[in-house]
Amino acid sequence: MLYSIIDALQKSAIHIDSLLKKCKFEYLDSINITGDNQLGVDVEANNIFKEALLELDAIKGICSEEENEAIYKKDSNGVYLVAFDPLDGSSIVSSNLSVGSIFGIYNEEFCAKNLIASGYIIYGPRLEMVVAQDSVNHYVYSDGGWRNIGSLTLNDKGKINSPGGTQKNWSTKHKILIESLFLEGYRLRYSGGMVPDLHNLLCKGGGLFSYPSTSDAPNGKLRALFEIFPFAFIFEKAGGEAIGGISDGSGLSRILDLKIDSIHQSLPCFFGSKYEIERVKLAYK
Ligand code: F6P
Ligand code: MG
């Protein structure tokens, strides 16, 4: 049953990849519920995933970054729910940087502890897909088919630092953390697209990606259900860690233990290998 969902996502990926190659990157007059201006391809990518998933027997419902509410099927015997960001990083589409789609597959309820698989598609020089279940499998699309090219695993320590958010709005603790990693020899890699930035860490064996609480966005920018939970699952299955927190003073916790109040909620978040996440915990103590 899970296979039918992955198959639908793979077919949708091929379709969206061909749309991106048609270079139609105009903004529409509409904004989504989070206040982002929508591109035509944001809406088209959303419709492609929505239609492909809702027709599957295995599906109970879906929820998308581009939709206000979750959509549940009437009279469905399906148990799986899919939450997705149909086209992440659309603000960098015009500069021809890689963008992606992110998905999380849940059993019966949209809560982090019910995630059973997650992954992303990356539209770059190659079309690739990463799917995490017990391990993290990396697929490439070539010659009309998807080929598994191996699994992604993180070392205990990496070399890359990918710090998100506007620097003037970082807290002093966060500035000290980021600067100390650079002083230790970490190198900056940041495209402004969550999918390529985290894919780079996964392919290079580790490092730190952070999107912290900032003075202008205390809950960070990235969305829990569509972006953070799926990547937290992937990082843990790859041997790394993911921590974050609601900015109510309760501190940072394992992301997959966090509960959210609304489907569009954002959270400060940190993804990395074990060493860098330990550094985050010390810096934020
Ligand atoms: O979905 C939001 C997003 O485009 C992510 O892909 C990316 O990681 C982030 O915003 C970049 O934000 P900023 O430019 O504030 O670092
Ligand atoms: Mg996004």
Side-chain angles (χ1 to χ4, degrees), residues 211-260:
Y211 207 106
S213 168
T214 54
S215 56
D216 58 334
N219 281 327
K221 175 184 187 187
L222 301 175
R223 268 60 53 124
L225 206 54
F226 310 113
E227 297 167 321
I228 299 176
F229 289 167
F231 270 111
F233 188 87
I234 296 165
F235 267 66
E236 288 198 1
K237 295 295 179 189
E241 289 186 43
I243 59 171
I246 301 163
S247 84
D248 60 356
S250 55
L252 298 173
S253 329
R254 176 178 177 249
I255 283 172
L256 296 179
D257 287 333
L258 293 173
K259 295 198 174 77
I260 50 170

Side-chain angles (χ1 to χ4, degrees), residues 36 65 85 87-92 102 163-166 190-197 209-211 221-223 227:
D36 303 326
E65 192 174 297
D85 181 351
L87 195 62
D88 180 68
S90 48
S91 67
I92 53 173
I102 311 168
T166 309
Y190 194 76
S191 73
M194 186 181 194
V195 173
D197 287 333
F209 174 95
S210 47
Y211 207 106
K221 175 184 187 187
L222 301 175
R223 268 60 53 124
E227 297 167 321

